Amino acid sequence: MIHSLFLINASGDIFLEKHWKSVVSRSVCDYFFEAQERASEPENVPPVIPTPHHYLISVLRHRIYFVAVIQSEVPPLFVIEFLHRVVDTFQDYFGVCTEAAIKDNVVVVYELLEEMLDNGFPLATESNILKELIKPPTILRTMVNTITGSTNVGEQLPTGQLSVVPWRRTGVKYTNNEAYFDVVEEIDVIIDKSGSTITAEIQGVIDACVKLTGMPDLTLSFMNPRLLDDVSFHPCVRFKRWEAERILSFIPPDGNFRLLSYHVSSQNLVAIPVYVKHNITFREGSSQGRFDLTLGPKQTMGKVVESVLVSSQLPRGVLNANLNPSQGTYTFDPVTKLLSWDVGKINPQKLPSLKGTMSLQAGASKPDENPTFNIQFKIQQMAISGLKVNRLDMYGEKYKPFKGIKYMTKAGKFQVRT
Amino acid sequence: MTLSESSDDSVKKSNPREDWPARRGGLRQAEVDTCGVMSSGVGYNDQTGAETAVEAGQETTPTTSSSGAAFGLFSSDFKKNEDLKEMLESNKESLKLEAMKRVVGLISKGKNASELFPAVVKNVASKNIELKKLVYVYLVRYAEEQQDLALLSISTFQRALKDPNQFIRASALRVLSSIRVPIIVPIMMLAIKEAATDLSPYVRKTSAHAIQKLYSLDPDQKEQLIEVIEKLLKDKSTLVAGSVVVAFEEVCPDRIDLIHKNYRKLCNLLVDVEEWGQVVIISMLTRYARTQFTSPWKEDAVFDENNEKTFYDSDSEEKKVPTEAKPYMMDPDHRLLLRNTKPLLQSRNTAVVMSVAQLYWHLAPKHEVSVVTKSLVRLLRSHREVQYIVLQNIATMSIQRKGMFEPYMKSFYVRSTDPTHIKTLKLEILTNLANEANISTILREFQTYVKSQDKTFAAATIQAIGRCATNISEVTDTCLNGLVLLLSNRDETVVAESVVVIKKLLQTQPTQHSEIIKHMAKLFDNITVPMARASILWLMGEYCDRVPKIAPDVLRKMAKTFTTEEDIVKLQTVNLAAKLYLTNSKQTKLLTQYILNLGKYDQNYDIRDRTRFIRQLIVPSEKSGALNKYARRILLAPKPAPVLESAFKDRDRFQLGTLSHSLNVKASGYQELSDWPAVAPDPSVRNVEVIEPVRNSGSGSEEESSEESEKTSSGSGGSSSGSEKSSSDSESEQRQKKKTKKRTRKPAASDRYAREQMLPVSPASSSPVGGHLRQHSTPSVSNIPNLVSPLIPVTSPSFGPVKTYELLHHMTGKGLAAKYHFPRQPCLYQPSMVSVQVILTNNSDHVLEEIHIGERSPAGLNVHCFNTIERLEPGASVTVSMGVDFSDSTQAANFQLCTKEDQFGVSIQPAVGELLMPFTMTEADFNREQSEI
């Protein structure tokens, strides 16, 4: 299926190649470079590119293109999903997935890729299994390895792959047994010029960090499971029990994993935690434009809106912006026309604002379009949908684990059109 | 820079505080590492010399170092390999490992490290696992280039294939099969066959992968590989299922008959198969279902035929199949597939969700398809690339079924941060979803998009507005007015696109729109985009009777600028001139002549050609002939309005979710989805005999083999969830046992009959029937009837390895050798016979002809002969099966094995155990039965 993989950095250098079948020449990437040249933005490179003898399927993450070469019909999502899984694995192993990290760990990367695909078909993609096969590099281990000459490759061959729960490694032992769950919700909104909400959706995930000894069998129940409209599970979740009782019952993988991602039905009214007042005008004939932006909290249930960041692509005609923030700092890049304002917390008593003028190209007519504002924020200890975890129980093991649940709401794609 | 300074790596590492120039040398070496080819001769050397000169120029000592550096570099590269070689050949494990790591680094950069092959391959048998793995990486990469040397490693793998550790066996097979050296094909074949029957499902999975590798190396092995695939398809392990289906798809996707027996098992196992396997199995089952079941859509056709006709092009063919009198009943197997795939919509793997969605799209009754909508919309939250593919598929779906996605319309609203191709796809979907009810919302949304900073996207929006305007007649005028307003937009692409779309709209509505045409004529001077200019010119020509005063003036302007225009504009100018010449020749005759003259000498042959054609057509002359009379009717014929339709209109010819669909081009290896059959093929082919582990209860020597066979089957069935069926069956088996125990033998057997008849028996597998027949006769004649209780039924052959006996040695047989064994299967031919398999091998150097069975003794011996073998090539062997009625005695059966020239007397002497039927029983049962003897 997947013939070869090329890793290409932002400047267009192929810095790693791996072949699972016979070798495909690097020159196949020329077609990719062609497409890259045609695309105005790095994200605009089409994910699927046909060439005379091969097909290139690529994903762009962390400013690295992962280009898979395939030769015959295969579901493109299959390849895309796999490539993303590769990136996730690298991130898991090296902390970051950058060119430098990959180059530094090229041997581990190669070992990983070798295990993840056999003849182009995914073999082991579960992080638990991979970590048993190839231990992630740490500073300590590198030192020990250099001194003792031992290796990264697991001496013990993984048993998980053969068990009924392939995602969990066997023989897990912890002194502190703990299970943490993060309920993170993202709110996607489009607000139009007049301030009315065009669309609003809530997407959530439950990320877990489970460090429990042995083979624990967990159940997680919600106070209000009806909120969850559409869900997708980690393979460990027993689907039948969810269907019947709306309970998440599972034997967790060891370590970090995403237990569940869900979508809150759009029938429910979505509370929008911030509002934006804006007044951006360009006058015909003058080379000045007025800029006035104020943010305020709304429906936050008493929680603080923090880490607020506003960014916007100003029209091409804007030469410079001379603005005055009431709090935080702003930057304007005259080349990319990207304005970003790091607001920080929103204080309901003293609303943050950004006011000032924009200078336009002299003589040019006023821009047709008004900018769109993208807003990011975080609200701790609140799930905006109102989802609440009821309880977490553990079966199958004797000890009493420490359990923790954290809620958080973030802005997803939160856009305000002006 | 001198030779000595360009030190090798190890020295540098040990001595970091070396002086500056040496460090520079090291630096340069690293630079060359990233940009150059290693030690590939003079040309390379020159090149790097120049490069390093440039780099060195930035440093302190420019001139002296350049040539020296180049030389130094060359030698250091050379030396570097030398040192790698030494390291690899050293005794120290750590040095070897270090060297291999560097070699892997070289490979990853795409550099040639093939000259190290001999040094590397020696380490293949290393005890250090990491070293070994790196050597494997190297081997797989370079074995193709160094075939002879690669053979050195083969014996290591062959040894490892026998290792007690399943992972070592598996990895040995993985590497062995990845070495693309044609000579080892037979070895690979053998290894695959062996691994396919391995006790470990992991090894069997690896063998399934190896099948594809061998197939791509040597397609001639197809037949043998299909046999292995057939065997592996029967495997009950979830681990194997995905991989073997991949092999099936690669090697023999057309052998749909292999799937029949495994269909239900695959459906039941599906949820537990690993996610990547799920994708492959689902798409294979989609194809399978389209050949085996009748269309579930017929029913719908009765209700909304009218609707469907417009939406479903592909389906209308099926609809024409005369509706059967009886109502449609979905095959239970069809339902099984739909039911078992549905939970997978909740998978975290986007590819799995997509493949279930396409399965529902292609297989489910129309009213059930919408269950996939939510999940597909969920995928839109995923990465950009995933969005792209999913949106493409939704676009195709939304053309046929607006209703499916209409409630989720807002999920397709465009965000300013989306990449352009995502934006255009969303636009496409919104346009597809537009109807009378929601058009105002959509148009309001479009208004925002038109103002977008992304001009390509703004242009696409204008196209979309045009499509909405033609599709929904209520809004045509509103849209047209909106578009006219856009004509005064500052951005040229927007204006140009508007012109093009307005042109199309005017054409669909040839009512009184002369105002708009006039307006566009005014704009003409300011528009530079060729397509827009051409569109205006065409409009002028087409509707020149509406703007009689303006059109000639535009032509006059064009005559002035003709030579500087784009080709497309020139062509339209010629058209305009021709049309005006016909309608208003008084004013435009000279202008037309002038333009035609310019066109005659144009550089572009299309324009010269068009000019020549137009001149002949419109200007009367002797040569122009009959067409001249019809010039007016030809040029000013009413033209059908262009239909503005989705770019995804014709994509439904491809299976959704495939690469071909994504590219809208048939990709290599694409398997067409067949139309539903008018009449469903026999559904009974999917009925499966439950295969149970069988224990032989004959002599003690067989005990061992039966134990092993049990192990195999429990190993494969153990982890599967699909064991439900078999367990329930074994339950009934238990009951059966209890029942039969109280009875006498014969009724028991007939009882068994009855049950057997109730079970659906496929025609293909007649063996069990035969088995019971024979069993029926066994007790009556057996000399030692009580040794084994024949009450417990047997349904399947034994798995145990079989001892082979010599029938005819090739020395006595003049080259013909024969061996036989008892497959311990029920005999197909007659119930009272014991089946015997004979392997005939031609060890001579000539072809043996007409091998058959001749005279037999005792005279009454009842033998079912194999068919005469016409030809047996030298070296070839053939396995035939025959049936012999030993009359339940251990007396030997003697007969003659004849070739065309010779006859050889042979005899088969059965052991007592071979005359009995094998069957399964637990140890407890056995003891109980034994105690009853």
Coordinates of all heavy atoms in Angstrom, one line a residue, chain B residues 236 238 265 268-269 272 690 713-714 716-731:
Chain B
K236 N -9.4 -18.0 12.1 CA -10.4 -17.4 13.0 C -9.8 -16.2 13.8 O -10.5 -15.5 14.5 CB -11.0 -18.4 13.9 CG -12.0 -19.3 13.2 CD -13.1 -19.8 14.2 CE -14.1 -20.7 13.6 NZ -13.7 -22.1 13.7
T238 N -8.5 -12.7 14.8 CA -8.7 -11.3 14.4 C -7.4 -10.7 13.9 O -7.4 -9.8 13.1 CB -9.2 -10.4 15.5 OG1 -8.4 -10.6 16.6 CG2 -10.6 -10.8 15.9
K265 N -18.1 -15.2 9.0 CA -17.0 -15.1 10.0 C -16.4 -13.7 10.0 O -16.3 -13.0 11.0 CB -16.0 -16.1 9.7 CG -14.9 -16.1 10.8 CD -13.7 -16.9 10.3 CE -12.9 -16.1 9.2 NZ -11.9 -16.8 8.6
N268 N -18.6 -11.1 11.5 CA -18.7 -11.2 13.0 C -17.4 -10.8 13.6 O -17.4 -10.2 14.7 CB -19.0 -12.6 13.4 CG -20.5 -12.9 13.1 OD1 -21.3 -12.1 13.3 ND2 -20.8 -14.1 12.7
L269 N -16.3 -11.0 13.0 CA -15.0 -10.7 13.6 C -14.7 -9.2 13.5 O -13.9 -8.6 14.2 CB -13.9 -11.4 12.9 CG -13.7 -12.9 13.1 CD1 -12.4 -13.3 12.5 CD2 -13.6 -13.2 14.6
D272 N -13.6 -6.6 16.1 CA -12.4 -6.9 16.9 C -11.1 -6.8 16.1 O -10.1 -6.9 16.6 CB -12.6 -8.2 17.6 CG -13.6 -8.2 18.6 OD1 -13.8 -7.2 19.3 OD2 -14.4 -9.2 18.8
V690 N -19.4 -25.9 10.7 CA -18.6 -25.5 11.8 C -17.4 -26.5 12.0 O -17.7 -27.7 12.1 CB -19.3 -25.4 13.1 CG1 -18.4 -25.0 14.3 CG2 -20.5 -24.4 13.0
S713 N -6.1 -25.2 16.7 CA -7.4 -24.6 16.5 C -7.8 -23.7 17.7 O -8.4 -22.7 17.5 CB -8.5 -25.7 16.3 OG -8.2 -26.7 17.2
S714 N -7.3 -24.1 18.9 CA -7.7 -23.2 20.0 C -6.9 -21.9 19.9 O -7.4 -20.9 20.3 CB -7.5 -23.9 21.3 OG -6.1 -24.1 21.5
S716 N -6.2 -20.4 17.3 CA -6.8 -19.5 16.3 C -8.1 -19.0 16.7 O -8.5 -17.9 16.4 CB -6.9 -20.2 14.9 OG -7.7 -21.3 15.1
G717 N -8.8 -19.8 17.4 CA -10.2 -19.4 17.8 C -10.3 -18.7 19.1 O -11.2 -18.1 19.4
G718 N -9.2 -18.8 19.9 CA -9.3 -18.4 21.2 C -9.7 -16.9 21.4 O -10.6 -16.6 22.1
S719 N -9.0 -16.1 20.7 CA -9.1 -14.6 20.9 C -10.3 -14.1 20.2 O -10.7 -12.9 20.3 CB -7.9 -13.9 20.5 OG -7.7 -14.1 19.1
S720 N -10.9 -14.9 19.3 CA -12.0 -14.3 18.5 C -13.3 -14.2 19.2 O -13.6 -15.0 20.1 CB -12.2 -15.1 17.3 OG -12.8 -16.3 17.6
S721 N -14.0 -13.1 18.9 CA -15.3 -13.0 19.5 C -16.3 -13.8 18.7 O -17.4 -14.0 19.1 CB -15.7 -11.5 19.4 OG -16.0 -11.2 18.1
G722 N -15.9 -14.1 17.5 CA -16.8 -14.9 16.7 C -17.0 -16.3 17.1 O -17.6 -17.1 16.5
S723 N -16.4 -16.7 18.2 CA -16.4 -18.0 18.7 C -17.8 -18.4 19.2 O -18.1 -19.5 19.5 CB -15.4 -18.3 19.7 OG -15.5 -17.3 20.8
E724 N -18.6 -17.3 19.4 CA -20.0 -17.6 19.9 C -20.6 -18.7 19.2 O -21.2 -19.6 19.8 CB -20.8 -16.3 19.5 CG -21.2 -15.5 20.7 CD -21.8 -14.2 20.3 OE1 -23.0 -14.3 20.0 OE2 -21.1 -13.2 20.2
K725 N -20.6 -18.6 17.9 CA -21.3 -19.6 17.1 C -20.8 -21.0 17.4 O -21.5 -21.9 17.6 CB -21.1 -19.3 15.6 CG -22.2 -19.6 14.7 CD -21.8 -19.7 13.3 CE -22.0 -18.4 12.6 NZ -21.3 -18.5 11.3
S726 N -19.5 -21.1 17.3 CA -18.9 -22.4 17.5 C -19.2 -22.9 18.9 O -19.4 -24.1 19.1 CB -17.4 -22.4 17.2 OG -16.8 -21.5 18.2
S727 N -19.2 -22.0 19.9 CA -19.4 -22.5 21.2 C -20.9 -23.0 21.4 O -21.1 -24.0 22.0 CB -19.1 -21.4 22.2 OG -20.1 -20.4 22.1
S728 N -21.8 -22.3 20.7 CA -23.1 -22.7 20.8 C -23.3 -24.1 20.2 O -24.0 -24.9 20.6 CB -24.1 -21.7 20.2 OG -23.9 -21.7 18.8
D729 N -22.5 -24.2 19.1 CA -22.6 -25.5 18.4 C -22.1 -26.6 19.2 O -22.6 -27.7 19.3 CB -21.9 -25.4 17.1 CG -22.7 -25.9 16.0 OD1 -23.7 -25.2 15.7 OD2 -22.3 -26.9 15.4
S730 N -20.9 -26.3 19.9 CA -20.4 -27.4 20.7 C -21.3 -27.7 21.9 O -21.3 -28.8 22.4 CB -19.0 -27.0 21.2 OG -19.1 -25.8 22.0
E731 N -22.1 -26.7 22.3 CA -23.1 -27.0 23.3 C -24.0 -28.0 22.8 O -24.3 -29.0 23.5 CB -23.8 -25.7 23.6 CG -23.7 -25.2 25.0 CD -24.3 -23.9 25.1 OE1 -23.7 -22.9 24.7 OE2 -25.3 -23.7 25.6

